[in-house]
Amino acid sequence: MVRIKICGITMMDDALAAAEAGADAIGLIFYPPSPRAIGVEAAAAILAALPPFVSTVGLFVNAQRSWVEKVLQSCPLDLLQFHGDELAADCSGFGRPYIKALRVLGEEDLRPQLRAHPDARGFLLDRAVPQLWGGSGETFSWWRLPALDKPLILAGGLSPDNVAEAIAVTQPYAVDVSSGVEASPGRKDHGKMRDFVARVRAADR
């Protein structure tokens, strides 16, 4: 079964609606330049209100260690996601597993990047856009993802309209959506979230 992460959550009602729709995980962006960034206090409140068995992921971009540690003091995140130029040493030592985002344009050999982060639990593939961090919102040329020893998560421009095709082509471990289920930057469309989850589950069948 393909796992589903809904990222860029900024509001309590959106977080609860994502969980109710059937998302396996929600993503909280701790990268202030992003229009989907969330403050520590608001994130902590959302984490406290979520039902059980919904994983929480904190997204960071080239962050100082002190910033990640400050967030974790208030926010008991399940998983960290590093979306910048971080080396393996920058992602480790926080007492949390992590996933690393890889910026791609299409089919390529992913193994060198995977070897550079041997402790990562998985790798998220997003479109490479120069000088843009924290999620592109654009698709790349999909291809059948290779069978490697780490889960591969598909992101970048996914929406209810294209996620079934994306899954059929790439066969990912998980899909990650943000702008494709939004009403406006940082605010989710609850109907689109339900539709996205339903189409992923239909693709599973």
Side-chain angles (χ1 to χ4, degrees):
M1 186 174 71
V2 177
R3 278 72 168 177
I4 301 167
K5 172 171 166 269
I6 296 179
C7 198
I9 295 287
T10 64
M11 305 297 293
M12 177 72 74
D13 62 328
D14 292 345
L16 297 178
E20 184 177 357
D24 299 291
I26 66 162
L28 304 169
I29 298 177
F30 297 100
Y31 177 53
S34 171
R36 299 166 185 87
I38 189 169
V40 173
E41 290 186 6
I46 287 173
L47 267 58
L50 283 172
F53 308 123
V54 178
S55 297
T56 55
V57 184
L59 187 153
F60 298 88
V61 179
N62 297 326
Q64 295 291 324
R65 293 191 71 86
S66 58
W67 173 234
V68 180
E69 291 166 351
K70 179 180 179 180
V71 170
L72 290 174
Q73 287 174 1
S74 299
C75 300
L77 297 163
D78 297 310
L79 187 70
L80 305 181
Q81 177 178 325
F82 291 97
H83 225 286
D85 292 322
E86 300 90 357
L87 303 175
D90 302 320
C91 305
S92 302
F94 296 107
R96 301 289 194 284
Y98 76 89
I99 59 178
K100 183 69 180 74
L102 308 180
R103 294 148 63 82
V104 300
L105 288 173
E107 185 169 0
E108 62 182 78
D109 184 359
L110 300 173
R111 290 172 294 180
Q113 297 189 74
L114 270 61
R115 286 195 294 267
H117 290 81
D119 296 332
R121 292 289 181 88
F123 293 86
L124 181 144
L125 307 185
D126 195 8
R127 180 181 174 87
V129 178
Q131 299 180 336
L132 179 64
W133 303 105
S136 69
E138 300 179 15
T139 61
F140 55 87
S141 297
W142 296 323
W143 80 101
R144 177 66 180 268
L145 298 180
L148 301 171
D149 61 351
K150 296 291 178 72
L152 297 178
I153 302 154
L154 183 67
L158 297 179
S159 72
D161 294 331
N162 65 13
V163 70
E165 178 187 0
I167 291 170
V169 172
T170 64
Q171 305 274 302
Y173 170 80
V175 290
D176 188 318
V177 65
S178 182
S179 60
V181 292
E182 282 186 334
S184 61
R187 287 308 312 258
K188 301 306 182 193
D189 181 309
H190 296 185
K192 287 182 179 179
M193 289 197 292
R194 291 192 295 269
D195 194 15
F196 186 88
V197 172
R199 296 198 185 198
V200 173
R201 296 296 171 241
D204 283 334
R205 294 193 292 271

